[in-house]
Amino acid sequence: MAYILSLDEGTTSARAALYDREARRVAMRSAATVPRFPNPGWVEQDANQIWTAQIDSVKETLAQAGVKPGDIAAIGITNQRETTVVWDRHTGEPIAPAIVWQCRRTAARCKELAPQADAITAKTGLVVDAYFSGTKIAWILDNVFGARAKVAAGDLLFGNIDTWLIWKLTGGRVHATDPTNASRTMLFDLAGGDWDDDMLKLIGVPRAMMPNVVASSALIGHTSGDVFGAEVPIAGIAGDQQAALAGQACFSKGLSKNTYGTGCFALLHTGGDRPVSKNKLLATRAASATTAAQFAVEGSIFIAGAAVQWLRDKLQIVPNAPETEAIAQSISSTGGVYLVPAFVGLGSPHWNSEARSLLCGMTLGTGRAEVVRATLESMAYQTRELIEAMESDSGAKLAELRVDGGAASNNFLMQFQADILDTPVVRPADAETTALGAAFLAGLATGYWKSVDEVNAFWRADRRFEPQMPASERDALWSGWKDAIRRATC
Ligand code: ADP
């Protein structure tokens, strides 16, 4: 019996999952990764600790399932995107801590790049922001003693976490990434499919340190025999959100998913057309099951489930996240209360880093239930902003929204989402869509699965939420949200 092994290296943990021929998850284990916050707004991780956590999770997963490394047909890798590692190609040692996607240390540099913003967006599909890898790489080269000289001598390599794991897994033989990760660096020609010399020069990153860009679903290399005792093909790579899109069986134009985790990330597959957003969404690569380029538009909300953690940890008005469902359902409306969760500014489509949170519309009748319900509703309203921007960009209404992520288990939220969007919301039976997407890519590349149609057939709905709210109620609620957003951003 052969299995597909998926490595899912997220922001807070490294996970490994094993899938059988029917794409059933037979085992999954995770090991925590450790963030560090050395300065306000800075977020780092130790790349060696990420590697150790990833390998531990693989060993535990294989042990849990009683599967030998030789029984793995192929490995797929998915990863927290944008997080940046620079290492010495001779020693294999990182020369600095990994700079995590959330880290704001290069915000000032991004302000300096503002005059070039239009050219950067035209080439890369991104807005200029510290979120992406390019300025993080330059920061390491400029701030680690001797790094510029070393990189000039060809001694340093850059990688996002996918590249770092592949390099470690192959014993330093393969230095590669895929288009979904490359498209998050601000250094990648989104349409052309390779590193862009103008962007590399503008941001100060030498081409020689960049990984080869290979297809998301292709044979990339083999694990070194000494890593876990077998030479296993590595055959799939995708950044986490694009992997989730694949795991939701969204391989073609017009299909979309929204992930409700710490933040929310909505992606709409746009097929072979390179999207140009008129509504401040990001244009990015989707994971292609072939060598043909595939694209998506993406909306990123920075705070979604994190607002529920704020209710739990800071306001201390809910004991845990799942309780919010019953609390919200205990009342029929918030009575005009809105929370705009701009705790770290607002992402798409506002891109306003100065905005701060607002709780408004309260009366003496407002209590815990209204605040909890307003917090859950804020995820749905923010998602509607993204979906409206996507629909306006594409000129088409979504047929349905596929959902995943921790907060997608909240039935109140999913029903409210369907109501406020006036679009059906569909939750899959397997919520681990990120790991599943990476498995699909590896399985398709190696013939374990024969076609995208075969893989699509594995996707099953757990529950479908149909819109039920009268249009007049929806419109009134939506206009209240727009008013709240105006106040938070004025
Ligand atoms: P990430 O991958 O970003 O770490 P997850 O997909 O694991 O996030 O989801 C965790 C987030 O979802 C947390 O912020 C948590 O507050 C929120 N969450 C989890 N379960 C629920 C729930 N039942 N209702 C509302 N929010 C939830």
Side-chain angles (χ1 to χ4, degrees), residues 5-18 25 27-34 49-64 432 435:
L5 176 66
S6 186
L7 309 190
D8 178 4
E9 204 298 301
T11 309
T12 54
S13 70
R15 300 191 272 200
L18 211 52
R25 183 156 35 86
M28 181 166 206
R29 305 293 284 183
S30 76
T33 54
V34 187
Q49 196 263 326
I50 289 176
W51 165 244
T52 311
Q54 188 65 74
I55 286 302
D56 287 350
S57 70
V58 169
K59 288 182 178 157
E60 286 184 23
T61 302
L62 295 181
Q64 186 190 13
E432 296 292 345

Side-chain angles (χ1 to χ4, degrees), residues 10-12 15 101 259-263 265 304-310 312 320-325 376 379 404-411 413:
T11 309
T12 54
R15 300 191 272 200
W101 59 275
T259 300
Y260 301 76
T262 307
F265 297 89
V308 174
Q309 289 169 255
W310 173 74
R312 187 193 63 195
N320 55 50
E323 282 287 312
T324 58
E325 182 175 328
L376 294 178
M379 295 192 226
D404 51 58
S409 62
N410 189 306
N411 293 320
L413 172 60

Side-chain angles (χ1 to χ4, degrees), residues 103-117 120 127-136 139 185-186 202-203 353:
C103 187
R104 308 302 302 170
R105 80 181 64 184
T106 60
R109 174 70 185 125
C110 289
K111 275 209 170 122
E112 288 169 14
L113 290 169
Q116 280 83 37
I120 293 173
V127 300
V128 178
D129 197 272
Y131 176 24
F132 306 109
S133 311
T135 57
K136 298 184 199 288
W139 190 95
T185 58
M186 233 157 71
L202 176 66
I203 297 176
S353 52

Side-chain angles (χ1 to χ4, degrees), residues 302-303 341-347 350-357 382:
F302 296 143
I303 300 290
F343 294 94
V344 293
L346 291 168
H350 305 285
W351 295 104
N352 182 333
S353 52
E354 267 82 49
R356 286 297 173 264
S357 294
Q382 292 184 99

